[in-house]
Amino acid sequence: EGSTMNLDLLERKNKYSNGFCHWPKVAWVKPDGSWQPSEANFTSLADPKAVGSGLRALTTLMHEAGHAAHFANIKQPSPLFGQERA
């Protein structure tokens, strides 16, 4: 509901080579009842258009997209629930 998901597929020097997802803004229901949509950034080196991108790379891409979509829809009264804990 109004969330933004930014996907980074570009290869560049010093880029982390595995999939990764983080949320500069987490989704949550504020004390006044208003909705705060999330912003998720996720990455993978998978390129669905590239021949030989590989099943593992595409699986990683879909895995990270799942995290982004799931946490975009957490409707809890605290931002704590809208993010993963390491």
Side-chain angles (χ1 to χ4, degrees):
E1 223 179 295
S3 295
T4 302
M5 292 186 229
N6 302 304
L7 173 58
D8 176 7
L9 291 176
L10 300 176
E11 192 169 339
R12 63 184 167 278
K13 186 178 179 181
N14 298 322
K15 181 179 177 183
Y16 184 61
S17 63
N18 199 2
F20 183 75
C21 189
H22 71 99
W23 298 265
K25 295 180 184 174
V26 297
W28 67 296
V29 179
K30 296 179 181 180
D32 66 4
S34 64
W35 172 247
Q36 170 63 55
S38 73
E39 181 180 338
N41 298 321
F42 65 105
T43 184
S44 173
L45 291 180
D47 182 350
K49 295 180 186 173
V51 174
S53 185
L55 178 61
R56 184 175 183 160
L58 290 174
T59 299
T60 299
L61 173 62
M62 293 297 110
H63 176 88
E64 297 306 325
H67 285 302
H70 171 77
F71 283 101
N73 291 290
I74 298 294
K75 293 194 175 181
Q76 295 289 327
S78 170
L80 177 68
F81 300 110
Q83 52 193 318
E84 288 184 308
R85 298 284 175 230

